[in-house]
Amino acid sequence: MASFGELLCVHTDELVQRWYEQWRQEGPALPEMTEAAIKDHLPVQLRVIGDALREGRASESPRKLWEQHGRLDPEQRVRDAVPIEEVVREYAYVIEAVRGWLTERDEQISVQEYSFFSLAIFELAAESARRFSKYQAERVARERSEYVAGIAHQLRTPVSTLNLYVQQMERAQGALNSRAAERLRRTVGRLSRLVDGILRLERFKPDEIPVHPETVAPAQVIDQLVADYEHDASRKGLRLDIFVNRSARMQVDQDLLVDALGNLIQNAIKYTEKGFVRITLEEHEDEVVFKVEDSGPGISSERQRELFRPVLPGQPGGVGLGLSIAFRAALAQGGTLELESEPGQGSTFRLRLPRAVHARKGQSEGLVETSLEDDAPPAVH
């Protein structure tokens, strides 16, 4: 008497044809689209199960049978717009077809072997569903990324034009007082950095972002960022404390450092209504730690788990875009972004970066690294 594994391998074509007839009889929702969804792969899959049974693996879990991508093609079914519920239903027909075929032939199959077969089909359907979900999530993320990056690219030209006008006004006698011109220039600069940060966020994964290290004095970067946001702090009566070794130097991508540190400082000022914002630089042998503390409302543990997600529309306290930019800028340079906070006790962010960041050349680098001025008319809870 042939074993169940041998039956599956020897009578594969007959079983597939039986499945196909039942599938047609049931009236699939999308017959033209789904006919090949399983039919092209079912012979291979039945033989894989049959070979496992012939090898005496009926007592094992069949879950690992489908780890090899070549035994599935759910991505093609997704691209062909085959609903996952249709795929799962079709695998249910496989079990029904094989059960009916065994009954008609009066084959005596052990419970263990039949259980292995049924679980293998179940795991096959489950793996298809997992891959379907992953493919869909990646597609949605890709489409969102392209949409947001497209908007950011469209912002380049008006921002560049604003920057040009500011320069012209600064040169014009009596057109604008120097204090107002400086404030406008810094506002345009903040907007420019935000656009570039969004482009880096949306165009690349953290481990693909181009990194161009150069020798940087962290104190100078902090001075520039504080100057950008000191008006907002002054308007609230906040005290800005800076504790930095002005002789400190490090090899870092200055644009990415500004992306990360600028957003941390901006958020601290934005969400702190009274008290202080403190920026501290800690030097270690192999790393530099930028610490941004505030006396703000603090962040609940529930909220902390959501902070570094790419986009949080509808969430209180903003969309989380700035912290996402900061988080990815840290990862891109081999660093980390840490948070300590309790409601009512303020927040402390620690940006840890290697003292010497490694360079990385990214694909399609020009899309991100092009300066805003290239688009201008002639003339970073």
Side-chain angles (χ1 to χ4, degrees):
M1 179 183 297
S3 70
F4 190 18
E6 292 172 339
L7 291 173
L8 290 176
C9 292
V10 172
H11 299 280
T12 298
D13 294 339
E14 183 180 350
L15 289 170
V16 171
Q17 183 60 32
R18 187 182 185 96
W19 166 85
Y20 180 70
E21 292 172 357
Q22 180 172 349
W23 174 78
R24 295 292 299 180
Q25 183 178 359
E26 294 290 341
L30 302 169
E32 298 83 5
M33 191 175 292
T34 61
E35 181 167 346
I38 291 182
K39 189 176 182 181
D40 290 349
H41 302 280
L42 187 54
V44 174
Q45 294 160 355
L46 288 177
R47 291 190 183 102
V48 167
I49 298 173
D51 287 339
L53 288 171
R54 288 198 295 189
E55 293 170 4
R57 296 161 55 188
S59 61
E60 301 176 9
S61 169
R63 185 170 301 164
K64 293 185 178 181
L65 285 177
W66 316 118
E67 289 182 349
Q68 296 184 23
H69 186 281
R71 294 170 179 168
L72 291 169
D73 192 15
E75 286 79 1
Q76 182 60 49
R77 294 196 287 270
V78 173
R79 288 192 292 270
D80 290 343
V82 179
I84 189 60
E85 59 267 24
E86 183 76 12
V87 175
V88 172
R89 187 181 302 115
E90 289 171 353
Y91 279 122
Y93 295 158
V94 173
I95 294 178
E96 293 177 10
V98 171
R99 183 178 60 193
W101 183 80
L102 292 172
T103 299
E104 289 181 7
R105 291 171 57 93
D106 196 25
E107 296 286 352
Q108 301 300 311
I109 304 300
S110 72
V111 172
Q112 190 176 52
E113 286 184 318
Y114 189 76
S115 295
F116 181 91
F117 165 76
S118 299
L119 284 173
I121 297 297
F122 172 82
E123 290 293 346
L124 187 54
E127 180 66 13
S128 294
R130 284 191 290 269
R131 294 192 182 190
F132 180 93
S133 298
K134 179 181 177 182
Y135 182 92
Q136 292 288 59
E138 290 174 349
R139 187 179 69 178
V140 169
R142 184 171 59 252
E143 291 174 352
R144 181 189 68 87
S145 174
E146 293 172 354
Y147 176 74
V148 175
I151 293 176
H153 271 297
Q154 292 181 43
L155 285 172
R156 279 179 174 267
T157 297
V159 169
S160 299
T161 302
L162 279 173
N163 190 46
L164 175 64
Y165 286 156
V166 170
Q167 295 173 20
Q168 292 174 342
M169 285 189 290
E170 286 180 322
R171 290 193 294 265
Q173 293 295 330
L176 197 66
N177 69 65
S178 60
R179 189 178 182 86
E182 177 66 12
R183 185 178 301 168
L184 181 57
R185 184 188 67 77
R186 293 190 181 280
T187 300
V188 173
R190 286 161 59 177
L191 182 57
S192 298
R193 289 195 296 273
L194 177 61
V195 171
D196 281 340
I198 292 173
L199 285 171
R200 279 187 281 271
L201 175 72
E202 296 298 333
R203 283 291 184 188
F204 299 100
K205 297 178 181 178
D207 60 355
E208 296 174 349
I209 294 176
V211 179
H212 303 298
E214 57 182 305
T215 301
V216 171
Q220 294 180 5
V221 175
I222 293 173
D223 287 345
Q224 175 191 345
L225 292 171
V226 168
D228 286 348
Y229 299 110
E230 64 181 351
H231 174 72
D232 298 334
S234 177
R235 183 168 49 84
K236 291 182 171 184
L238 298 178
R239 189 178 77 250
L240 289 177
D241 298 329
I242 302 175
F243 300 96
V244 180
N245 177 6
R246 306 202 70 80
S247 65
R249 297 292 185 272
M250 63 186 301
Q251 288 286 321
V252 67
D253 186 306
Q254 183 162 323
D255 290 334
L256 291 174
L257 176 60
V258 170
D259 279 352
L261 194 56
N263 278 292
L264 297 181
I265 295 173
Q266 181 185 27
N267 274 0
I269 294 173
K270 179 178 180 180
Y271 295 107
T272 302
E273 294 302 324
K274 61 181 180 179
F276 68 88
V277 172
R278 181 180 300 125
I279 302 133
T280 306
L281 179 67
E282 299 176 355
E283 296 182 82
H284 303 280
E285 183 177 355
D286 297 323
E287 72 172 0
V288 175
V289 181
F290 298 86
K291 186 163 64 173
V292 180
E293 303 172 83
D294 65 61
S295 57
I299 309 170
S300 68
S301 56
E302 293 79 10
R303 177 69 172 144
Q304 289 182 39
R305 288 193 291 268
E306 301 173 342
L307 279 180
F308 302 117
R309 293 180 183 176
V311 177
L312 296 175
Q315 291 289 339
V319 299
L321 183 60
L323 285 180
S324 293
I325 292 174
F327 182 62
R328 289 167 65 96
L331 292 183
Q333 299 180 92
T336 61
L337 185 57
E338 304 167 356
L339 168 62
E340 292 180 9
S341 184
E342 293 182 14
Q345 300 298 317
S347 301
T348 299
F349 283 89
R350 286 183 176 84
L351 171 63
R352 298 180 179 273
L353 294 175
R355 184 177 286 275
V357 170
H358 295 296
R360 179 173 56 242
K361 185 175 181 180
Q363 297 178 349
S364 304
E365 200 168 337
L367 292 174
V368 174
E369 297 302 311
T370 301
S371 170
L372 285 172
E373 283 72 14
D374 292 346
D375 291 325
V380 152
H381 281 241

